[in-house]
Amino acid sequence: MKERIVLAYSGGLDTSVAIGWIADATGAEVIAVAVDVGQGGESLETVRQRALGCGAVEAYVADARDEFANEYCMPTLKAGALYQNHYPLISAISRPVIVKHLVKAAKQFGATTVAHGCTGKGNDQVRFEVGIQTLGPDLKCIAPVRDLALTRDKAIAYAEEKNLPIETTKKNPYSIDQNVWGRAIETGYLEDIWNAPTKDIYSYTDSPEFPPAPDEVTITFKEGIPVAIDGVAVTPLQAIEQLNRRGGAQGIGRIDMVEDRLVGIKSREIYEAPGAMVLMEAHKHLENVTVEREQARFKATVSQRWSELVYDGQWFSPLKRSLDTFIEDTQRYVSGDIRMELHGGRAVVNGRRSDTGLYRFDLATYDTGDTFDQSSARGFIDIFGLTSKVATERDERVAGEAK
Ligand code: ARG
């Protein structure tokens, strides 16, 4: 029996050509695996037929949209994870779910190797291969673009020569990765980091410059997860999709940054994540009402570390799992409503209510009804400031003796 290789298939030119390219280079049979994480565009059946038309012996397609929203986007929301304070980990969180389906397909079809279309310069190769090593330790990995010298020009020539059912003329100057959590755009003109992004690169967001009328939205959360929008029950997937539309119409969630890749390169990235950024903003404000101060302060550190681990391809690592347990515990009371206005590129929270909050009107008020005992404040401050006071006295004494 011929060796079998499972290929992470996107339906695009590179991975379509990779089917035959891998078969030629290795003599193996190629099984194409396409995973729907809400990237939109073509139907899974169209993608499946194209893979078969390009020479795959089998084509496996998985609708992982709800799985991705529930098990990958929601943990990112609960973590409040923004890599380098900006990037909501769009591509980084899609790789582990794709890996799960690749490993499952490899087992199902008796494949020994998994292939992906990443280059040798990015984070995604690491995320795929670390994930595969972890979930399928017996599987080998190959990357035709990186390991089998499949360049874009060769891909076009190969597709034309073999008459593959894929368009080769449409030259997209950007490298784009998208899913329901957002869209990542890089390379080409954007590699000059002084160049402002041009309007044509965006597709999830309209320009915030000329927004439609303000859109007021109420998001209901239960234990850190959106469960209703404007009083109508939604699944996590529906919440993200709806806020992609409503936030996108207001131009919310455009991000332009230079980020630190794991391989040591700084790279210019443009993201658009309207639904994710609206949800993160709402969630953060509900945490402000419901999470105890010391837990909240510590969670900021955990959130940053969680983002770095996930960015670095450590989704399945023990530390990430331990941090998940902490984060999950902090979400116990993150329930209630956030009212916000979406307008002109911004999502501004202007109301919050929670039955499990820690906000106490009787403690906060300066009006009648105040139950806070202000006479306790003096003694508290005396003791709270004591260590600094003692140290300063010491500093002055030592400085005086040195004269
Ligand atoms: N730089 C981002 C990350 O590492 C996005 C990568 C997107 N991939 C792509 N082929 N455009 O998560």
Side-chain angles (χ1 to χ4, degrees):
M1 204 178 106
K2 273 191 169 181
E3 197 187 349
R4 296 188 133 191
I5 296 179
V6 155
L7 168 70
Y9 183 64
S10 71
L13 172 69
D14 291 344
T15 53
S16 294
V17 167
I19 295 171
W21 197 264
I22 293 170
D24 294 350
T26 63
E29 291 180 338
V30 176
I31 294 142
V33 174
V35 183
D36 186 354
V37 282
Q39 57 270 50
E42 299 174 313
S43 79
L44 285 184
E45 189 48 32
T46 307
V47 171
R48 211 180 87 80
Q49 289 306 329
R50 183 173 311 130
L52 295 170
C54 290
V57 296
E58 302 268 7
Y60 166 104
V61 294
D63 178 355
R65 287 175 303 163
D66 282 301
E67 180 186 2
F68 178 60
N70 296 339
E71 295 170 35
Y72 299 82
C73 302
M74 291 302 106
T76 306
L77 175 64
K78 290 192 241 182
L82 292 171
Y83 179 65
Q84 293 187 316
N85 294 322
H86 292 293
Y87 169 42
L89 296 166
I90 300 157
S91 303
I93 58 171
S94 76
R95 303 314 175 199
V97 68
I98 295 170
V99 164
K100 271 203 174 164
H101 286 275
L102 289 171
V103 170
K104 191 170 144 200
K107 296 213 168 105
Q108 190 174 324
F109 293 103
T112 55
T113 303
V114 174
H116 60 76
C118 305
T119 72
K121 293 179 70 168
N123 303 307
D124 287 328
Q125 55 173 343
V126 182
R127 297 171 186 150
F128 275 117
E129 294 184 29
V130 169
I132 290 159
Q133 273 174 25
T134 310
L135 301 187
D138 299 333
L139 295 168
K140 288 176 293 212
C141 292
I142 56 167
V145 174
R146 183 191 66 192
D147 307 334
L148 303 174
L150 175 59
T151 61
R152 195 163 175 94
D153 289 342
K154 284 187 196 162
I156 293 171
Y158 187 95
E160 280 168 1
E161 181 201 322
K162 303 270 164 159
N163 218 351
L164 296 182
I166 172 117
E167 219 183 311
T168 55
T169 45
K170 209 174 65 201
K171 182 150 169 42
N172 191 331
Y174 304 110
S175 166
I176 293 168
D177 182 50
Q178 64 190 53
N179 60 54
V180 74
W181 197 237
R183 190 161 171 271
I185 309 117
E186 56 187 332
T187 72
Y189 170 83
L190 301 167
E191 284 172 358
D192 180 338
I193 62 177
W194 184 250
N195 284 342
T198 48
K199 296 191 185 339
D200 61 305
I201 69 169
Y202 296 108
S203 104
Y204 285 14
T205 52
D206 294 331
S207 170
E209 270 170 325
F210 308 102
D215 183 6
E216 181 163 295
V217 59
T218 300
I219 306 175
T220 306
F221 288 86
K222 186 158 186 283
E223 295 175 21
I225 284 178
V227 292
I229 295 180
D230 296 329
V232 180
V234 286
T235 64
L237 179 65
Q238 289 166 339
I240 303 165
E241 286 175 339
Q242 184 181 147
L243 294 168
N244 273 342
R245 279 194 300 279
R246 291 170 69 174
Q250 297 286 349
I252 293 166
R254 290 185 174 184
I255 299 152
D256 177 350
M257 69 186 287
V258 171
E259 79 189 25
D260 282 303
R261 286 190 190 166
L262 180 57
V263 295
I265 300 170
K266 283 192 188 290
S267 76
R268 171 39 154 358
E269 309 280 336
I270 308 292
Y271 300 108
E272 42 179 355
M277 296 312 283
V278 169
L279 283 167
M280 295 252 238
E281 187 67 8
H283 179 265
K284 187 170 72 190
H285 281 260
L286 187 58
E287 282 193 330
N288 289 346
V289 176
T290 54
V291 179
E292 184 272 333
R293 183 187 66 199
E294 295 309 312
Q295 270 181 313
R297 289 179 174 179
F298 193 71
K299 184 170 181 273
T301 307
V302 171
S303 170
Q304 192 185 344
R305 192 72 193 96
W306 192 97
S307 311
E308 290 163 356
L309 287 168
V310 170
Y311 186 87
D312 289 350
Q314 301 296 313
W315 181 271
F316 300 108
S317 74
L319 178 57
K320 146 78 173 46
R321 195 185 54 210
S322 300
L323 299 186
D324 278 333
T325 305
F326 170 83
I327 292 165
E328 197 54 45
D329 188 63
T330 63
Q331 300 301 295
R332 194 184 305 197
Y333 299 111
V334 185
S335 303
D337 298 328
I338 289 292
R339 195 181 63 210
M340 63 204 309
E341 188 178 278
L342 314 180
H343 192 234
R346 305 205 320 140
V348 178
V349 170
N350 53 24
R352 61 286 273 164
R353 68 182 166 209
S354 170
D355 293 335
T356 46
L358 295 169
Y359 177 80
R360 286 259 304 266
F361 179 84
D362 64 318
L363 292 176
T365 188
Y366 285 96
D367 296 335
T368 44
D370 185 5
T371 63
F372 185 85
D373 179 4
Q374 297 200 33
S375 70
S376 310
R378 269 194 89 123
F380 166 73
I381 295 164
D382 284 345
I383 294 173
F384 190 66
L386 189 59
T387 67
S388 290
K389 188 176 154 196
V390 170
T392 304
E393 282 165 9
R394 184 267 321 269
D395 293 349
E396 283 171 0
R397 176 172 53 78
V398 172
E401 284 164 8
K403 270 191 204 142

